[in-house]
Amino acid sequence: KAVVSGEWADMYPLRPELAESCYALYRATGDDLYLKMGTEMVESLNSMARTEAGFAAISSVRHRKKDDHMASFFLAETLKYLYLLFDEDNFINVHGSSFIFTTEGHLVPLSVRFSSV
């Protein structure tokens, strides 16, 4: 018997929350477990959601059925967090204490002053 039920329980619309959590937890702890999880996410996305023109939402993870669309948040958030997870030298990671991400994945400086950082 399924632990979770409902029409949404079998789908994956390429949401960013898991990638975002792995990124935030890796930055906070430095635990390589989150890099391994990120690697599994990238491999799964490439094997399950990749299409000729990009990526597609999954309408059924059990039946490996793809939808015919990709929401913009996939590029703006999901892939951004996965990219940042693996790019230690990225400006965001180097100066991470000077910025935060909004819930939509936008970067916001913590200082109201403009600086050279």
Side-chain angles (χ1 to χ4, degrees):
K1 185 175 178 179
V3 175
V4 179
S5 62
E7 72 178 60
W8 53 268
D10 192 31
M11 61 182 10
Y12 175 59
L14 306 174
R15 295 288 311 159
E17 287 81 8
L18 186 57
E20 180 182 10
S21 296
C22 279
Y23 170 69
L25 288 166
Y26 177 69
R27 298 305 304 166
T29 68
D31 189 336
D32 286 346
L33 170 68
Y34 301 109
L35 293 176
K36 290 177 187 173
M37 292 170 72
T39 299
E40 283 188 40
M41 281 183 242
V42 170
E43 290 171 355
S44 294
L45 286 167
N46 279 322
S47 69
M48 293 280 297
R50 176 73 82 163
T51 70
E52 212 174 280
F55 291 85
I58 306 298
S59 60
S60 173
V61 294
R62 284 181 268 178
H63 302 292
R64 295 179 173 237
K65 184 176 178 206
K66 296 176 186 159
D67 279 343
D68 189 20
H69 74 278
M70 176 187 74
S72 61
F73 59 73
F74 177 69
L75 297 175
E77 296 179 64
T78 307
L79 291 185
K80 176 181 5 190
Y81 289 118
L82 288 171
Y83 176 83
L84 289 172
L85 177 64
F86 297 104
D87 187 9
E88 288 290 331
D89 297 326
N90 188 285
F91 178 87
I92 305 300
N93 290 332
V94 172
H95 301 287
S97 62
S98 301
F99 300 93
I100 58 168
F101 283 106
T102 67
T103 57
E104 295 299 316
H106 302 295
L107 196 60
V108 178
L110 291 174
S111 172
V112 293
R113 295 179 0 182
F114 290 102
S115 70
S116 62
V117 176

